[in-house]
Amino acid sequence: MFANLSDRLAETFKSLRGKGRLSEADIDGTIREIRRALLDADVAVPVVRSFTAAIRERSLGAEVSGALNPGQQVVKIVHEELIAVLGGEQRPLTLAKHGPTVIMLAGLQGAGKTTFAGKLAHHLKSQGQTPILVAADLQRPNAVTQLKVVGERAGVPVFAPEAGVTREDERPHGDPVEVARRGLREAQDKQHTVVIVDTAGRLGVDAELMKQAGDIRKAIDPHEVLFVIDAMIGQDAVATAQAFQEGVDFTGVVLSKLDGDARGGAALSVAQVTGRPIMFASVGEKLEDIEVFHPDRMASRILDMGDILTLIEQAEQKFDQAEAERMAGKMQRGEDFTFTDFLAQMQQLKNMGSMKKMLGMLPGMGAMRDQIENLDERELVRTEAIIQSMTPLERDNPKVLNGSRRSRIAAGSGMTVADVNSLVKRFEDAQRMMKAMAQGGGMPGMPGMGGGPGAFGGLPGGKKSKGKQAPQRKVKGKSGNPAKRAQQEQAARARAAGEKPAAPAGSAFGLGTQPPQEDIDPAQLQADLGKYLRR
């Protein structure tokens, strides 16, 4: 969502690096570029004006002029002001002390209210609540049917006494206000702890829509009225949000379709304009694709600082603690790391969801966005197929994998012998790394965990083993490859000068030794991702 804005801001901040003092012209130039980036992202003009004015005022003050690194101080100011624009602090749902908590959803047609209703019910159910969905949208064709399907997927009951409209040419019938009122009574009788009322929307704001939403609000007196807005509508978000604020007086905002490719102006405008906090973000099509909105974390994502806290929370929810403890004990005992272990840890990683999303939460990933987008997540599925085509003996003792066994595994998994050989080679590298980590005191919980960059596949920056270092191998001859020969000569000059040879080119976070235009190896990414989940 914020890819373009993040890139523009990162480019702007590059000009501030290394400057011991920032002049007023430097600051004005930076503010001008920030303003352009925000306007291109469809942020509302009043929000842009107040945001840049606050940054300029603080940047010309003592906190920048007296800083040891003025450039970093300006970035810090932008980060803090972004947090303020996004709402300041995360606000949780208001839950009723007695009786069911009533949550009403409002918004335009197509904003994603019905889908979000199922996601919210699924989210609250995972927290021990017993929600019920109420189908009060009797106007949109098949809205009631859609809510029933969503409720069934979430494992949540749906109260739908009216069928609603089922055809485009059918006139609306039934009273949505009465449905909402009866839904609340149903929740009280069945002792549900949360009632989520899905209401009708329109293609645009109109008086009939607002009157109906207002009548439903009066009838059920909800604890929360959540305004669901499409994060891709840009400047129109401000006018729509203000209209709903006047007509319904919502208590919180939900940003839907935040995984889209729009510029994200709604997210940076609606909280500032309405004064209501953004409470949830819908980031995908699955029921699990819902995030509690944290302004500080979103500001960090926009500035390419990563979102490690969200990544850790997802890991804690999806990772099997017993499996992690089993692996830790195995490493402590010095037992060999096997393909069975490799498969178990890889499946835990898959349970966390999209690897692209996880990598996007790591700091500094903006420079590798194209690589991440081109990442083929099916590579993990292929790796899993190869391992599952092995016998238990082969998984626990890879040394028995001779040529005929590898041919059989390739045929059984639908892969080639070269694919099997490549996996075995990467596995042997991981196995050696795990042994080294066990000897050095690190207890990885997945292939590559604990060692960080360099621990898997020869990535730069890996932990070195203690004791006497092995002497550098002498290069017997120069390579015929000009690029490789240049690297050999550079390494030889560095050793002659008593310096450490330069590490292979790669990202600042060790994701691969290849230049940026090369493809990413999913197994190496799996290793590096473990470093951050262990923090």
Side-chain angles (χ1 to χ4, degrees), residues 114 132-139 143-148 157-164 175-180 183 195-200 216:
T114 302
I132 183 174
L133 298 171
V134 178
D137 182 357
L138 308 180
Q139 178 174 304
V144 175
T145 302
Q146 182 188 358
L147 189 65
K148 289 180 178 178
V158 177
F159 180 75
E162 298 283 352
D175 185 357
V177 178
E178 182 61 25
V179 170
V195 183
I196 301 174
V197 181
D198 181 28
T199 66
I216 291 176

Side-chain angles (χ1 to χ4, degrees), residues 107-125:
L108 294 180
Q109 184 173 314
K113 294 189 302 298
T114 302
T115 303
F116 175 74
K119 291 181 179 181
L120 181 59
H122 182 269
H123 172 72
L124 293 173
K125 183 180 177 182

Side-chain angles (χ1 to χ4, degrees), residues 188-231:
Q188 293 169 338
D189 294 340
K190 299 292 180 61
Q191 296 185 337
H192 289 279
T193 59
V194 179
V195 183
I196 301 174
V197 181
D198 181 28
T199 66
R202 299 287 195 284
L203 294 177
V205 176
D206 60 34
E208 183 182 355
L209 165 64
M210 290 305 172
K211 182 179 185 307
Q212 184 182 106
D215 291 343
I216 291 176
R217 172 164 188 157
K218 292 177 184 177
I220 61 177
D221 190 20
H223 299 86
E224 295 280 9
V225 178
L226 300 184
F227 171 53
V228 182
I229 186 169
D230 186 342

Side-chain angles (χ1 to χ4, degrees), residues 21-98:
R21 180 179 176 276
L22 295 182
S23 65
E24 186 172 346
D26 292 331
I27 293 174
D28 286 342
T30 300
I31 299 299
R32 185 166 52 252
E33 292 303 317
I34 292 175
R35 183 184 298 112
R36 289 174 179 172
L38 293 173
L39 290 174
D40 285 346
D42 268 345
V43 180
V45 174
V47 176
V48 175
R49 288 174 179 167
S50 62
F51 179 73
T52 52
I55 294 174
R56 188 178 192 280
E57 181 181 356
R58 291 183 60 183
S59 298
L60 292 174
E63 60 181 311
V64 170
S65 60
L68 294 176
N69 191 323
Q72 291 182 356
Q73 194 66 25
V74 171
V75 176
K76 177 175 179 290
I77 290 172
V78 173
H79 182 248
E80 292 173 352
E81 292 300 325
L82 263 180
I83 294 174
V85 166
L86 291 169
E89 296 181 355
Q90 185 269 329
R91 183 176 81 76
L93 282 172
T94 299
L95 299 177
K97 294 182 179 179
H98 304 287

Side-chain angles (χ1 to χ4, degrees), residues 126-380:
S126 68
Q127 296 183 340
Q129 303 289 342
T130 56
I132 183 174
L133 298 171
V134 178
D137 182 357
L138 308 180
Q139 178 174 304
R140 179 170 61 87
N142 292 313
V144 175
T145 302
Q146 182 188 358
L147 189 65
K148 289 180 178 178
V149 172
V150 170
E152 183 178 358
R153 288 172 52 200
V156 173
V158 177
F159 180 75
E162 298 283 352
V165 174
T166 58
R167 301 188 314 273
E168 290 286 348
D169 58 350
E170 184 178 354
R171 293 177 59 86
H173 53 85
D175 185 357
V177 178
E178 182 61 25
V179 170
R181 189 181 289 114
R182 290 175 58 188
L184 177 56
R185 289 199 297 267
E186 176 77 5
Q188 293 169 338
D189 294 340
K190 299 292 180 61
Q191 296 185 337
H192 289 279
T193 59
V194 179
V195 183
I196 301 174
V197 181
D198 181 28
T199 66
R202 299 287 195 284
L203 294 177
V205 176
D206 60 34
E208 183 182 355
L209 165 64
M210 290 305 172
K211 182 179 185 307
Q212 184 182 106
D215 291 343
I216 291 176
R217 172 164 188 157
K218 292 177 184 177
I220 61 177
D221 190 20
H223 299 86
E224 295 280 9
V225 178
L226 300 184
F227 171 53
V228 182
I229 186 169
D230 186 342
M232 302 174 68
I233 67 174
Q235 291 279 351
D236 288 342
V238 175
T240 304
Q242 289 176 328
F244 271 88
Q245 185 180 21
E246 294 172 2
V248 188
D249 189 22
F250 56 83
T251 60
V253 178
V254 176
L255 292 176
S256 66
K257 307 177 186 178
L258 204 59
D259 56 324
D261 57 358
R263 290 170 284 187
L268 295 176
S269 303
V270 66
Q272 182 86 343
V273 170
T274 65
R276 298 293 187 267
I278 302 173
M279 300 178 65
F280 293 97
S282 181
V283 294
E285 298 179 357
K286 297 179 180 178
L287 285 174
E288 299 81 8
D289 293 337
I290 177 176
E291 292 182 2
V292 175
F293 191 88
H294 296 268
D296 54 338
R297 301 183 189 181
M298 184 57 68
S300 295
R301 290 192 200 182
I302 293 173
L303 295 180
D304 199 22
M305 297 177 180
D307 188 359
I308 300 301
L309 289 177
T310 298
L311 192 58
I312 291 174
E313 288 176 358
Q314 292 181 0
E316 289 175 342
Q317 293 174 3
K318 301 294 178 65
F319 269 38
D320 185 345
Q321 186 63 31
E323 174 63 21
E325 291 176 357
R326 184 189 72 81
M327 277 300 302
K330 188 169 186 176
M331 293 300 102
Q332 285 178 332
R333 294 189 295 271
E335 298 178 13
D336 285 340
F337 178 64
T338 68
F339 269 116
T340 301
D341 302 322
F342 189 86
L343 179 62
Q345 300 303 303
M346 187 175 65
Q347 288 172 337
Q348 287 210 66
L349 182 62
K350 281 178 60 181
N351 289 338
M352 288 185 62
S354 170
M355 184 173 285
K356 292 181 181 180
K357 290 182 181 179
M358 289 187 285
L359 290 171
M361 295 181 190
L362 300 181
M365 289 295 100
M368 300 184 68
R369 188 171 292 114
D370 290 341
Q371 281 182 276
I372 293 174
E373 286 301 317
N374 292 328
L375 173 64
D376 186 2
E377 299 195 42
R378 293 174 298 178
E379 185 65 28
L380 293 179

